[in-house]
Amino acid sequence: MHDKIGVLKYFLKPQHYDIYPLKWSEIFGNKKKIYVEIGFGSGEYMAALAKNNPDINFVGFETSLTALYKAQVKFYKNNIKNARVIQGDARLLIRELFPSNSISKLIVNFPCPWPKQRHKERRIFIESFINTLADVLKKGGTIELATDVDWYAQEVYNNFKDSKFFEAEEIIENFERPIKTKYELKWDKEGRNKYLFIAKK
Ligand SMILES: C[S@@+](CC[C@H](N)C(=O)[O-])C[C@H]1O[C@@H](n2cnc3c(N)ncnc32)[C@H](O)[C@@H]1O
């Protein structure tokens, strides 16, 4: 049995604050740079990054409450101090919760590509969100997308290439990073290709 209060200390509820955007230096008690992960799933990637990088603050967004809880248990067991999680659609919340030029890196690992045309607006990197990122990312800040879906990697590349605020790097096929996410391990086992795309503001 976990100490529930200990576990839930990572859960940040924006509705408990009066002023937006939030004052992140007060929340973390320091002015370290901020990395954001959208759709962290069970949180293994964010927990490992936060543990290995105590000089960076991490903010994760998830729509699934079960995923939020699993991630918090990982943070608690690893005695992580530099992470918070928020429930909801990151594309809307990031707009409200972060001031201009405040995020150093945004990470999205293996998101659902929403292949059907009628679900297109559910994809993460739609035009309105790219405009939000052009504002909230610091100059020189990066976005990093890992996906197993070739057309989706290409679509996101094109979207950022079309934006005057970003430099789009070439897509890296079958990349290797020191930490693998749950979905990445699954797709590796199935022998799927995977793609890494990075854009710089
Ligand atoms: C396919 S899973 C990948 C999980 C994990 N990143 C991995 O690689 O194992 C995508 C996750 O993104 C979350 N998600 C999808 N859209 C989101 C959004 N707009 N804001 C926050 N989370 C989102 C889903 O709840 C789901 O847990």
Side-chain angles (χ1 to χ4, degrees), residues 113-128:
W114 295 107
K116 289 190 178 140
Q117 201 55 25
R118 69 173 188 276
H119 293 148
K120 217 174 152 197
E121 283 305 304
R122 297 185 192 176
R123 295 175 194 161
I124 300 279
F125 293 108
I126 53 176
E127 193 184 351
S128 55

Side-chain angles (χ1 to χ4, degrees), residues 84-124:
R84 297 290 184 280
V85 290
I86 298 175
Q87 189 193 14
D89 185 337
R91 299 170 307 171
L92 307 174
L93 288 164
I94 287 175
R95 175 64 285 167
E96 300 302 324
L97 304 182
F98 287 89
S100 303
N101 305 308
S102 60
I103 298 175
S104 295
K105 188 171 187 175
L106 178 105
I107 301 162
V108 186
N109 288 322
F110 301 93
C112 175
W114 295 107
K116 289 190 178 140
Q117 201 55 25
R118 69 173 188 276
H119 293 148
K120 217 174 152 197
E121 283 305 304
R122 297 185 192 176
R123 295 175 194 161
I124 300 279

Side-chain angles (χ1 to χ4, degrees), residues 10-28 34-38 58-62 68 84-103 106 129 132-133 135-137:
Y10 299 102
F11 198 168
L12 192 154
K13 296 190 171 143
Q15 62 270 32
H16 291 176
Y17 292 79
D18 297 326
I19 299 171
Y20 306 107
L22 297 177
K23 295 194 168 104
W24 290 99
S25 55
E26 287 178 12
I27 289 167
F28 284 108
I34 297 177
Y35 283 16
V36 170
E37 185 176 355
I38 299 180
F58 291 85
V59 182
F61 290 87
E62 245 306 331
L68 276 152
R84 297 290 184 280
V85 290
I86 298 175
Q87 189 193 14
D89 185 337
R91 299 170 307 171
L92 307 174
L93 288 164
I94 287 175
R95 175 64 285 167
E96 300 302 324
L97 304 182
F98 287 89
S100 303
N101 305 308
S102 60
I103 298 175
L106 178 105
F129 187 53
T132 296
L133 292 173
D135 180 49
V136 296
L137 274 184

Side-chain angles (χ1 to χ4, degrees), residues 128-192:
S128 55
F129 187 53
I130 293 176
N131 290 335
T132 296
L133 292 173
D135 180 49
V136 296
L137 274 184
K138 288 189 166 187
K139 185 155 174 46
T142 52
I143 75 103
E144 190 171 309
L145 165 76
T147 176
D148 56 306
V149 183
D150 53 358
W151 64 261
Y152 184 63
Q154 194 60 49
E155 176 183 287
V156 176
Y157 170 86
N158 291 340
N159 291 349
F160 277 91
K161 203 159 174 58
D162 287 347
S163 162
K164 62 177 189 269
F165 301 107
F166 289 93
E167 277 169 37
E169 293 182 7
E170 292 305 314
I171 296 165
I172 305 166
E173 203 172 328
N174 295 329
F175 59 89
E176 286 297 333
R177 298 182 297 189
I179 310 158
K180 287 185 194 263
T181 77
K182 191 171 157 188
Y183 272 73
E184 186 170 1
L185 288 169
K186 203 167 142 184
W187 304 147
D188 278 359
K189 257 194 200 153
E190 291 185 10
R192 290 200 199 189

